[in-house]
Amino acid sequence: MKALVCTTPGQFDYSEKEKPASVEGRAIIKIKRIGICGTDLHAFEGTQPFFSYPRILGHELAGELVEANGAEGFTPGEKVSFIPYFNCGTCIACRSGKPNCCTSINVCGVHVDGGMAEYLSVPSSSLLHGEGLSFDELALVEPLAIGAHGVRRADVKPGEFVLVIGAGPIGLGTMEFARIAGGKVIALDINNDRLQFCKNRLKVEHFVNALDPDVTEQLKQITNGDMPTVVIDATGNQRAINNAFQYMAHGARFVLIGLQKGEISFSHPEFHKREGTLMSSRNATREDFEHVIASMKKGLVDPKTYITHRVQFEEVKAEFESWLNPATGVIKAMVEL
């Protein structure tokens, strides 16, 4: 089979690999769609934590089930996706119902080879039924689940103001599920085109450019002087994360979905007097995936809204680097096989 390998930062190469062998307990999927996410872009740049080369990228995937190999209720030929976080099942996190932060987790396309290939073998227990969704929709379940998990971590309540920092694909999904939870969403980004996307495509009512000199005053005005009671970072940008502590209302929760390599720095007295809560949000659980799929089926989320670029698998090597440039306007690039 043909595969696309990120051999070193900045370099892709197509190569021939052996098709996965049939093994009990591992399903084989014929890949039909690959969504390109920030992790893939950072890996190509060489800025992704927990990463080594060479690596086959790709974890936002959908395809046709070839072999179920122990997956009860699944039938070869059906449309499927899967949960791309392979956990051990025995560590403290797994025993506590948090397989998304397993102590020895293997994330598909990060710690182990992913889906930029014609076929992929995955644990049969990780499979997700297509539920009548298209390949495009199924490939977008995973990034939306990341946002859904962050919103669930924040325990968003109806009517409260939720500031989402970063209007990339993960941030946009976070906004969607904050809205579904009943939150009043405020989008914060440095890119006016992306803020307009939030307004026009997602119907986000409030948005602020992070480069404005009066961000705090704008947030006060939007929230009637209270400031947001939930702040969620979806940038993974050190400066954005550190700045966001000042946007918290007293008693607010700050959830970090974005990940960066450096240290977080904030004023302890300012954080302390607010009795703030700081949380990380890693990956997602089956509950989040099922919530996303159910929301798609109910029409609460239109995942196709996010697809701005579409290429064939043979074109990825030539096109990939352009997606690092904000001027291309890429929100979500979708690869077809």
Side-chain angles (χ1 to χ4, degrees), residues 41 87 97 121 148 216 224 226 233 299 307 316 320:
L41 297 172
N87 61 294
S121 171
T216 300
N224 303 311
D226 291 335
D233 177 80
I307 301 173
V316 176
F320 195 93

Side-chain angles (χ1 to χ4, degrees), residues 9 33 38 74 94 100 107 128 157 159 219 232 235 241 247 251 253 260 276 278 309 327:
R33 295 290 188 279
F74 286 84
C94 291
N100 55 302
V107 178
L128 294 163
K157 304 296 186 186
L219 292 175
I232 303 178
T235 68
I241 292 170
Y247 305 146
R253 293 92 74 200
Q260 51 86 33
L278 177 62
H309 294 62

Side-chain angles (χ1 to χ4, degrees), residues 77-90:
E78 71 171 290
K79 292 180 180 178
V80 294
S81 186
F82 67 98
I83 301 171
Y85 327 122
F86 308 147
N87 61 294
C88 73
T90 59

Side-chain angles (χ1 to χ4, degrees), residues 99-336:
N100 55 302
C101 60
C102 168
T103 59
S104 56
I105 199 165
N106 281 315
V107 178
C108 182
V110 178
H111 307 103
V112 295
D113 283 341
M116 286 194 181
E118 292 180 282
Y119 294 89
L120 182 67
S121 171
V122 302
S124 298
S125 59
S126 70
L127 287 177
L128 294 163
H129 288 289
E131 300 286 353
L133 300 178
S134 68
F135 286 128
D136 281 352
E137 291 169 324
L138 286 172
L140 288 164
V141 170
E142 191 274 342
L144 290 171
I146 297 289
H149 185 70
V151 168
R152 185 157 65 90
R153 289 278 286 154
D155 193 22
V156 172
K157 304 296 186 186
E160 67 179 331
F161 283 100
V162 180
L163 174 64
V164 179
I165 305 168
I170 299 299
L172 295 173
T174 303
M175 294 175 202
E176 293 265 61
F177 283 92
R179 171 185 56 78
I180 290 170
K184 299 176 181 177
V185 178
I186 309 167
L188 181 72
D189 200 281
I190 62 173
N191 186 318
N192 279 323
D193 290 337
R194 290 205 166 185
L195 291 174
Q196 286 299 312
F197 185 94
C198 295
K199 176 185 177 182
N200 299 330
R201 302 287 287 274
L202 300 189
K203 308 304 179 186
V204 173
E205 186 176 353
H206 307 287
F207 48 93
V208 178
N209 191 306
L211 298 179
D212 290 347
D214 60 342
V215 171
T216 300
E217 288 304 313
Q218 290 186 58
L219 292 175
K220 283 182 178 178
Q221 185 173 2
I222 292 168
T223 61
N224 303 311
D226 291 335
M227 299 298 282
T229 49
V230 174
V231 177
I232 303 178
D233 177 80
T235 68
N237 178 277
Q238 187 178 45
R239 182 177 179 182
I241 292 170
N242 291 344
N243 284 344
F245 284 91
Q246 65 187 302
Y247 305 146
M248 297 173 65
H250 282 238
R253 293 92 74 200
F254 186 9
V255 180
L256 302 178
I257 296 178
L259 175 65
Q260 51 86 33
K261 286 185 173 182
E263 296 181 353
I264 296 171
S265 177
F266 59 91
S267 166
H268 187 183
E270 288 295 322
F271 184 71
H272 195 93
K273 76 180 185 182
R274 287 169 168 79
E275 198 178 53
T277 300
L278 177 62
M279 292 179 276
S280 61
S281 178
R282 189 179 187 194
N283 301 324
T285 66
R286 182 171 288 273
E287 179 181 348
D288 302 307
F289 279 80
E290 291 174 349
H291 178 39
V292 170
I293 290 171
S295 297
M296 286 183 180
K297 291 178 68 176
K298 292 175 184 175
L300 298 175
V301 177
D302 181 4
K304 290 174 285 188
T305 298
Y306 304 104
I307 301 173
T308 54
H309 294 62
R310 189 181 295 275
V311 299
Q312 297 298 311
F313 184 60
E314 295 77 14
E315 302 170 316
V316 176
K317 179 177 179 178
E319 296 290 332
F320 195 93
E321 190 169 4
S322 70
W323 299 331
L324 295 168
N325 183 358
T328 61
V330 65
I331 298 292
K332 176 62 64 178
M334 186 65 68
V335 180
E336 296 185 356

